[in-house]
Amino acid sequence: FSLEELHGIFQWLVESIFGSLDGIIVGWNLRCLQGRTNPNEYSVALDFLDPSGPMMKLVYKLQAEEYRYDFPVSYLPGPVKASIQEQVLPECSLYHNKVQFPSSGGLGLNLALNPFEYYMFYFAISLITQKNSPATHHVSPSNSAYFILVDTYLKCFLPTEGSVLPPPSSNPGGAIPSPTPRSPAVPFSSYGMHHTSLLKRHIAHQPSVNADPASQEIWRSETLLQIFVEMWLHHYSLEMYQKMQSPHVKLEVLHYRLSISSKHHGSPAQSSYQALHAYQESFKPTEEHVLVVRLLVKHLHAFSNSLKPEPLSPSAHSHTASPLEEFKRVVIPRFVQEKLYIFLQHCFGHWPLDASFRAVLEMWLSYLQPWRYAPEKPPQSTEPLPRSVPDKWASFIQENLLMYTKLFVGFLNRALRTDLVSPKNALMVFRVAKVFAQPNLAEMILKGEQLFLEPELVIPHRQHRLFMSPTLGGSFLSSRSPAVTDASFKVKSHVYSLEGQDFQYKQMFGAEVRNLVLKLAQLICQAQQTAKSISDHSAETMASQSFFSWFRFTPSEVNGSYTGNDLDEIGQDSIKKTDEYLEKALEYLCQIFKLSEAQLTQMMMKCGTAQDENGKKQLPDCIASENGLILTPLGRYQIINGLRKFELQYQGDAELQPIRSYENAALVRLLFRLSSLLNHRFADQMEVLCSRDDFVGRLCRYHLTNPQLIQKIRYSPVVRDRTSHNWGPRISLRFLASYRTLISLLMIYFIASWFYVGPVGCTFIILIGYFLYAVIMTFFFEGWKPHEH
């Protein structure tokens, strides 16, 4: 094929592989393609899309001719799309000199991308735009072709060892031409002061064909990372967008909009309501999306940690540092930190309170522990002691303080609203507590907080420069002052650049957060008690389900009390795991926040008061009112998390209660009609017999009434007047509709046939035996009603 033919089919080919931007064309569906289910297609796709495969060779071939392809701005992340539509250029250099306005009659804005950018844009955004198919729910995301390709591209273009492999090229210099700068048709105002791109710093004023190969490898690496970060992490609402902007930038944008509205009378600037609507974005990341971001975070830690040690002489560093080494130095703070923080905040605030949050949690914990991806190996020790965090990571912790402190508080608020009896939820609390309990980590976080809270001893006119965001002009390559105030400025710059100058910082080791930790510790104690109760209840249930107990008639079969729990199904092994996770989590929390044994003992005593002498739970927390009991917020929390519950019982007429699964529906209805007929016909006679004071009256009351029914029923807090209602003497034959009763009678008749006793004789023996048993029971338990059970 000629270059012109390849150029003509390139866009169609990319769309056929990754699907269309609107999600209508699925493409190869790489997210569902796995080697276990489709080995042939899986291997072909990976070979074709490999960094050295046919597709990338086509990309490099078209790149050499400087072709451009349009990418619609409408499919970019919400904040970028809104800012470009308002003619405000994003601070990311990825969008510079690429915005193309439509010709007369055209629709929408487009980005003019080179083949490499166009290919990677489609590859990255397919994770967001392609909707999950029904088969996706049965696919492991980490084994999909898409996940493997992300890992392959990261290892190729962001190598931890060596340099980026040069692309195959027929050019003498063996380099990919960089994009030709293009001036937009309408002037743009930037909402951020552009930080100098590493690419521009090293290849400025160089011919594209004869450019330095090292600079070209930086261009591909930086472009790949920017595309991944922009497509996967650059999503948030208007409020978060405004918070990220410094006051002088907001003023610059305001002046620009006023100038635009005065110059272009025909197209005035958007109203505030329209701007608000433009910036809003409904963003709901999936678990697969989070797993891919975690892969990116882990690789960036390994990439950054592969940085060679700095030379002792600063002059030597300035002359010998390669572009790739300099890129490793700034890759996380400049390109990832800000957007990842916003992404995590969004997930912590909007993710459902279920076990799927584990993916977000592990991604967060991966970012918090860059030392796990350091090349040096931990010293081998015979004792399994936790590894202490090296002191060299203090600067990373200080420059990412909010990642540790504010998100930890966000996790506490989530944990206080989850059911910790669930093993998966207990495991998440255990994981966070274990990470933060690493030796020396809590001390480093506390030191970072102390640096942030230090009084500001700076000249006022310098403060504006020092608190500038890294993406708004702050340099990460400036020489570091050994003074403590320099570290304090870095911490404050980090906090204010992410949260704004008016941010009220909540100390992780302050009194407010400590109270939250104490509440969590108390909740852990309650969850342990609940798990123990469930375990005991399950053991009792298993013991009662013997062969002979199957024929017993228990009162719960009639009154319908709910004695089970949804957590009964988790099993003894899971309950044991829950207890282990919670016990270790409580131990770690005590280490982190220096909780004393006296505080733990007091919490355990409080939890113990929730159990009575029989080990059963009390009612949920309520307030007595004229209408009965009213649940308090604590009571609602206890019910939602399964810590306490009302013993629900059927409160109406026992004859009219719903038909149970162990009853024959036709017999229930037939026996109800027969009982109603007998009760209607002999009501007066039964009333007279039950009113007698002799033995006959007691025997009739034993069979026909239940004087203690009201005392045995726990009524709803809203309905109190039902206690005044009582049922008169009546016959109830519903117990004959129970399958257990019928099978028991059939077995009795079958056994009697072995002794040559016929059905009539067997029935007579049963009636005589029951009468004798009823006479004996009448003397002792007049209120018990076996005929209803």
Side-chain angles (χ1 to χ4, degrees), residues 368-389:
L368 298 186
Q369 303 177 86
W371 47 87
R372 290 184 56 193
Y373 311 100
E376 63 267 13
K377 299 295 183 181
Q380 298 295 329
S381 176
T382 56
E383 299 180 5
L385 296 176
R387 183 187 178 190
S388 177
V389 179

mmCIF file of all heavy atoms in Angstrom, residues 368-389:
data_model
loop_
_atom_site.group_PDB
_atom_site.id
_atom_site.type_symbol
_atom_site.label_atom_id
_atom_site.label_comp_id
_atom_site.label_asym_id
_atom_site.label_seq_id
_atom_site.Cartn_x
_atom_site.Cartn_y
_atom_site.Cartn_z
ATOM 1 N N LEU A 368 0.568 5.357 48.095
ATOM 2 C CA LEU A 368 1.136 5.773 49.380
ATOM 3 C C LEU A 368 2.437 5.057 49.712
ATOM 4 O O LEU A 368 3.142 5.477 50.633
ATOM 5 C CB LEU A 368 0.128 5.509 50.509
ATOM 6 C CG LEU A 368 -1.205 6.255 50.458
ATOM 7 C CD1 LEU A 368 -1.997 5.986 51.723
ATOM 8 C CD2 LEU A 368 -0.999 7.748 50.256
ATOM 9 N N GLN A 369 2.771 3.992 49.010
ATOM 10 C CA GLN A 369 3.945 3.192 49.370
ATOM 11 C C GLN A 369 4.925 3.078 48.196
ATOM 12 O O GLN A 369 5.115 1.990 47.638
ATOM 13 C CB GLN A 369 3.514 1.791 49.806
ATOM 14 C CG GLN A 369 2.528 1.766 50.963
ATOM 15 C CD GLN A 369 2.083 0.366 51.295
ATOM 16 O OE1 GLN A 369 2.732 -0.356 52.054
ATOM 17 N NE2 GLN A 369 0.966 -0.035 50.714
ATOM 18 N N PRO A 370 5.559 4.163 47.816
ATOM 19 C CA PRO A 370 6.522 4.064 46.709
ATOM 20 C C PRO A 370 7.723 3.200 47.059
ATOM 21 O O PRO A 370 8.392 2.675 46.154
ATOM 22 C CB PRO A 370 6.935 5.526 46.474
ATOM 23 C CG PRO A 370 6.675 6.210 47.777
ATOM 24 C CD PRO A 370 5.470 5.532 48.355
ATOM 25 N N TRP A 371 8.017 3.042 48.352
ATOM 26 C CA TRP A 371 9.169 2.225 48.740
ATOM 27 C C TRP A 371 8.981 0.748 48.392
ATOM 28 O O TRP A 371 9.944 -0.004 48.331
ATOM 29 C CB TRP A 371 9.426 2.383 50.241
ATOM 30 C CG TRP A 371 8.207 2.268 51.098
ATOM 31 C CD1 TRP A 371 7.668 1.138 51.610
ATOM 32 C CD2 TRP A 371 7.377 3.349 51.537
ATOM 33 N NE1 TRP A 371 6.542 1.422 52.351
ATOM 34 C CE2 TRP A 371 6.338 2.781 52.331
ATOM 35 C CE3 TRP A 371 7.400 4.722 51.356
ATOM 36 C CZ2 TRP A 371 5.350 3.553 52.923
ATOM 37 C CZ3 TRP A 371 6.409 5.484 51.951
ATOM 38 C CH2 TRP A 371 5.404 4.909 52.719
ATOM 39 N N ARG A 372 7.739 0.336 48.176
ATOM 40 C CA ARG A 372 7.507 -1.047 47.778
ATOM 41 C C ARG A 372 8.030 -1.332 46.376
ATOM 42 O O ARG A 372 8.268 -2.488 46.020
ATOM 43 C CB ARG A 372 6.010 -1.368 47.827
ATOM 44 C CG ARG A 372 5.413 -1.435 49.213
ATOM 45 C CD ARG A 372 3.961 -1.845 49.141
ATOM 46 N NE ARG A 372 3.791 -3.101 48.431
ATOM 47 C CZ ARG A 372 2.620 -3.573 48.015
ATOM 48 N NH1 ARG A 372 1.520 -2.875 48.222
ATOM 49 N NH2 ARG A 372 2.547 -4.724 47.383
ATOM 50 N N TYR A 373 8.197 -0.280 45.565
ATOM 51 C CA TYR A 373 8.615 -0.452 44.176
ATOM 52 C C TYR A 373 10.031 0.074 43.955
ATOM 53 O O TYR A 373 10.418 0.337 42.826
ATOM 54 C CB TYR A 373 7.620 0.271 43.262
ATOM 55 C CG TYR A 373 6.197 -0.071 43.597
ATOM 56 C CD1 TYR A 373 5.408 0.793 44.366
ATOM 57 C CD2 TYR A 373 5.635 -1.276 43.205
ATOM 58 C CE1 TYR A 373 4.102 0.468 44.711
ATOM 59 C CE2 TYR A 373 4.329 -1.607 43.546
ATOM 60 C CZ TYR A 373 3.573 -0.728 44.304
ATOM 61 O OH TYR A 373 2.287 -1.056 44.647
ATOM 62 N N ALA A 374 10.772 0.225 45.049
ATOM 63 C CA ALA A 374 12.168 0.636 44.950
ATOM 64 C C ALA A 374 13.016 -0.550 44.521
ATOM 65 O O ALA A 374 12.721 -1.699 44.868
ATOM 66 C CB ALA A 374 12.649 1.186 46.291
ATOM 67 N N PRO A 375 14.086 -0.304 43.768
ATOM 68 C CA PRO A 375 14.897 -1.433 43.270
ATOM 69 C C PRO A 375 15.663 -2.161 44.353
ATOM 70 O O PRO A 375 15.941 -3.348 44.223
ATOM 71 C CB PRO A 375 15.854 -0.757 42.277
ATOM 72 C CG PRO A 375 15.913 0.676 42.707
ATOM 73 C CD PRO A 375 14.563 0.998 43.265
ATOM 74 N N GLU A 376 16.012 -1.455 45.475
ATOM 75 C CA GLU A 376 16.808 -2.141 46.493
ATOM 76 C C GLU A 376 15.960 -3.182 47.202
ATOM 77 O O GLU A 376 14.758 -3.001 47.418
ATOM 78 C CB GLU A 376 17.385 -1.149 47.511
ATOM 79 C CG GLU A 376 16.328 -0.404 48.325
ATOM 80 C CD GLU A 376 15.950 0.914 47.686
ATOM 81 O OE1 GLU A 376 16.311 1.120 46.507
ATOM 82 O OE2 GLU A 376 15.298 1.726 48.347
ATOM 83 N N LYS A 377 16.578 -4.272 47.582
ATOM 84 C CA LYS A 377 15.896 -5.366 48.246
ATOM 85 C C LYS A 377 15.965 -5.174 49.756
ATOM 86 O O LYS A 377 16.990 -4.757 50.292
ATOM 87 C CB LYS A 377 16.542 -6.716 47.884
ATOM 88 C CG LYS A 377 16.486 -7.018 46.400
ATOM 89 C CD LYS A 377 15.061 -7.195 45.925
ATOM 90 C CE LYS A 377 15.015 -7.563 44.451
ATOM 91 N NZ LYS A 377 13.622 -7.715 43.964
ATOM 92 N N PRO A 378 14.881 -5.487 50.466
ATOM 93 C CA PRO A 378 14.923 -5.382 51.926
ATOM 94 C C PRO A 378 15.847 -6.433 52.512
ATOM 95 O O PRO A 378 15.985 -7.530 51.962
ATOM 96 C CB PRO A 378 13.462 -5.630 52.339
ATOM 97 C CG PRO A 378 12.884 -6.421 51.222
ATOM 98 C CD PRO A 378 13.581 -5.953 49.980
ATOM 99 N N PRO A 379 16.508 -6.113 53.599
ATOM 100 C CA PRO A 379 17.411 -7.093 54.214
ATOM 101 C C PRO A 379 16.651 -8.313 54.704
ATOM 102 O O PRO A 379 15.542 -8.201 55.223
ATOM 103 C CB PRO A 379 18.036 -6.311 55.372
ATOM 104 C CG PRO A 379 17.059 -5.213 55.670
ATOM 105 C CD PRO A 379 16.429 -4.854 54.362
ATOM 106 N N GLN A 380 17.261 -9.460 54.479
ATOM 107 C CA GLN A 380 16.641 -10.700 54.906
ATOM 108 C C GLN A 380 16.748 -10.842 56.420
ATOM 109 O O GLN A 380 17.798 -10.609 57.005
ATOM 110 C CB GLN A 380 17.318 -11.900 54.224
ATOM 111 C CG GLN A 380 17.205 -11.885 52.715
ATOM 112 C CD GLN A 380 15.769 -12.025 52.243
ATOM 113 O OE1 GLN A 380 14.953 -12.680 52.902
ATOM 114 N NE2 GLN A 380 15.445 -11.423 51.109
ATOM 115 N N SER A 381 15.640 -11.215 57.048
ATOM 116 C CA SER A 381 15.618 -11.367 58.495
ATOM 117 C C SER A 381 14.883 -12.643 58.847
ATOM 118 O O SER A 381 13.896 -13.012 58.198
ATOM 119 C CB SER A 381 14.928 -10.161 59.162
ATOM 120 O OG SER A 381 14.821 -10.365 60.549
ATOM 121 N N THR A 382 15.405 -13.300 59.875
ATOM 122 C CA THR A 382 14.752 -14.544 60.303
ATOM 123 C C THR A 382 13.433 -14.259 60.992
ATOM 124 O O THR A 382 12.519 -15.070 60.961
ATOM 125 C CB THR A 382 15.679 -15.304 61.252
ATOM 126 O OG1 THR A 382 16.038 -14.437 62.359
ATOM 127 C CG2 THR A 382 16.948 -15.729 60.530
ATOM 128 N N GLU A 383 13.286 -13.086 61.617
ATOM 129 C CA GLU A 383 12.053 -12.737 62.312
ATOM 130 C C GLU A 383 11.149 -11.968 61.350
ATOM 131 O O GLU A 383 11.589 -11.024 60.686
ATOM 132 C CB GLU A 383 12.345 -11.888 63.544
ATOM 133 C CG GLU A 383 13.213 -12.605 64.570
ATOM 134 C CD GLU A 383 13.467 -11.716 65.780
ATOM 135 O OE1 GLU A 383 12.885 -10.620 65.823
ATOM 136 O OE2 GLU A 383 14.219 -12.141 66.665
ATOM 137 N N PRO A 384 9.854 -12.329 61.287
ATOM 138 C CA PRO A 384 8.937 -11.646 60.367
ATOM 139 C C PRO A 384 8.500 -10.290 60.922
ATOM 140 O O PRO A 384 7.326 -10.059 61.197
ATOM 141 C CB PRO A 384 7.766 -12.630 60.276
ATOM 142 C CG PRO A 384 7.761 -13.339 61.595
ATOM 143 C CD PRO A 384 9.196 -13.444 62.023
ATOM 144 N N LEU A 385 9.450 -9.372 61.102
ATOM 145 C CA LEU A 385 9.121 -8.050 61.625
ATOM 146 C C LEU A 385 8.715 -7.133 60.472
ATOM 147 O O LEU A 385 9.234 -7.243 59.358
ATOM 148 C CB LEU A 385 10.327 -7.457 62.364
ATOM 149 C CG LEU A 385 10.788 -8.215 63.615
ATOM 150 C CD1 LEU A 385 12.044 -7.569 64.185
ATOM 151 C CD2 LEU A 385 9.684 -8.248 64.661
ATOM 152 N N PRO A 386 7.787 -6.179 60.707
ATOM 153 C CA PRO A 386 7.413 -5.238 59.650
ATOM 154 C C PRO A 386 8.583 -4.344 59.276
ATOM 155 O O PRO A 386 9.352 -3.904 60.133
ATOM 156 C CB PRO A 386 6.272 -4.434 60.295
ATOM 157 C CG PRO A 386 6.441 -4.602 61.764
ATOM 158 C CD PRO A 386 7.042 -5.964 61.962
ATOM 159 N N ARG A 387 8.710 -4.089 57.993
ATOM 160 C CA ARG A 387 9.829 -3.294 57.490
ATOM 161 C C ARG A 387 9.579 -1.821 57.774
ATOM 162 O O ARG A 387 8.510 -1.281 57.476
ATOM 163 C CB ARG A 387 9.985 -3.526 55.992
ATOM 164 C CG ARG A 387 11.165 -2.797 55.376
ATOM 165 C CD ARG A 387 11.146 -2.953 53.862
ATOM 166 N NE ARG A 387 12.227 -2.219 53.242
ATOM 167 C CZ ARG A 387 12.326 -2.042 51.929
ATOM 168 N NH1 ARG A 387 11.397 -2.555 51.127
ATOM 169 N NH2 ARG A 387 13.330 -1.359 51.416
ATOM 170 N N SER A 388 10.577 -1.158 58.336
ATOM 171 C CA SER A 388 10.464 0.259 58.654
ATOM 172 C C SER A 388 10.581 1.082 57.373
ATOM 173 O O SER A 388 11.337 0.740 56.456
ATOM 174 C CB SER A 388 11.542 0.665 59.649
ATOM 175 O OG SER A 388 11.480 2.046 59.912
ATOM 176 N N VAL A 389 9.838 2.194 57.306
ATOM 177 C CA VAL A 389 9.888 3.076 56.147
ATOM 178 C C VAL A 389 11.182 3.888 56.218
ATOM 179 O O VAL A 389 11.433 4.571 57.219
ATOM 180 C CB VAL A 389 8.667 4.008 56.121
ATOM 181 C CG1 VAL A 389 8.745 4.939 54.922
ATOM 182 C CG2 VAL A 389 7.377 3.204 56.093
#
